[in-house]
Amino acid sequence: IGKLTAILEDRLAAREIIHGVLLDILGLGVLIVGDSGIGKSECALDLIERGHSLVSDDMTRFRAMEGRELVGTSPDLTRNHMEIRGLGIINVMSIFGIGSVRLEKRLDLIVTLKDWQELEEVDRIGLDQEYYEILEILIPHITIPVRTGRDLSHLVEVAALDQKLKNMGQNSAVEFNQRLLNLMQKKKKE
């Protein structure tokens, strides 16, 4: 009965397809989204070269597990493959090895790549946590401005590390803000 229940929950789970690249970065499932041509696949390719794993390129299928978490995977046709403008379709597993791909991954963070000029305001401190809703589940979300010369893959990797710290209860922006408030309070007393 337990096995049947698990199978039925998986088969009947709510599903949605999102346009983006899903990667396993240091154990976190990170979905990179953004306008067509913004550099999602190129960023993902650089992250794979750094040792992280591809789950899905371009179209990622998500299913809600018990209404608590989202698990993403690739459509069978495109599994282990990426489309890189100028290169065409590449087989990631053949080029980088079996460790460079994963069948599925829980979604922990969504990173939106957005053209710098299209952003009205850029969050410079990070106190306010944004969320992205998929299948009625809120996922932490950040927006990274895209500008010539920025190392997007490094920024996405650091965003994943920062999210990992937040999951462990350490929020750098909140800690910095508290230190600043304490310093201001101390100066005020003097």
Side-chain angles (χ1 to χ4, degrees):
I1 290 175
K3 287 181 182 178
L4 181 59
T5 301
I7 291 169
L8 285 175
E9 283 178 356
D10 180 59
R11 302 286 180 178
L12 300 175
R15 298 175 190 276
E16 187 171 332
I17 294 177
I18 303 288
H19 178 73
V21 182
L22 181 60
L23 298 154
D24 179 343
I25 301 175
L26 303 165
L28 265 71
V30 179
L31 179 68
I32 303 172
V33 298
D35 293 338
S36 181
I38 197 77
K40 298 179 296 291
S41 294
E42 290 84 354
C43 178
L45 183 61
D46 198 24
L47 287 161
I48 292 165
E49 287 179 311
R50 291 175 187 238
H52 305 295
S53 303
L54 174 72
V55 179
S56 179
D57 180 49
D58 197 35
M59 297 304 242
T60 304
R61 291 182 180 169
F62 287 101
R63 67 184 186 280
M65 302 301 290
E66 301 175 4
R68 293 183 291 111
E69 62 182 25
L70 295 168
V71 175
T73 190
S74 175
D76 293 337
L77 179 65
T78 59
R79 183 162 290 124
N80 304 333
H81 291 81
M82 292 180 73
E83 183 235 336
I84 306 294
R85 288 197 171 103
L87 296 179
I89 305 295
I90 64 168
N91 186 320
V92 173
M93 187 170 64
S94 294
I95 295 172
F96 299 102
I98 189 70
S100 65
V101 294
R102 286 196 56 148
L103 183 60
E104 63 181 23
K105 184 68 183 154
R106 182 188 75 233
L107 181 60
D108 299 296
L109 176 66
I110 298 175
V111 175
T112 299
L113 302 181
K114 192 154 183 98
D115 188 292
W116 188 283
Q117 295 173 340
E118 292 179 17
L119 290 170
E120 294 175 17
E121 189 175 308
V122 176
D123 184 7
R124 295 184 58 167
I125 298 177
L127 279 174
D128 298 325
Q129 177 66 64
E130 293 181 18
Y131 292 92
Y132 194 104
E133 184 177 331
I134 300 173
L135 297 171
E136 299 180 4
I137 297 173
L138 296 176
I139 304 296
H141 172 253
I142 64 161
T143 301
I144 295 179
V146 175
R147 193 174 194 174
T148 305
R150 295 192 92 194
D151 186 351
L152 295 179
S153 59
H154 193 194
L155 294 174
V156 170
E157 189 174 45
V158 171
L161 283 168
D162 190 49
Q163 186 60 44
K164 202 169 189 175
L165 280 173
K166 287 177 183 175
N167 292 348
M168 297 165 123
Q170 184 177 341
N171 187 320
S172 301
V174 170
E175 289 174 7
F176 177 78
N177 190 53
Q178 189 59 49
R179 286 176 52 202
L180 183 61
L181 291 173
N182 291 343
L183 181 63
M184 289 170 53
Q185 198 67 1
K186 184 179 174 183
K187 293 281 186 189
K188 195 176 193 181
K189 288 180 182 177
E190 293 175 358

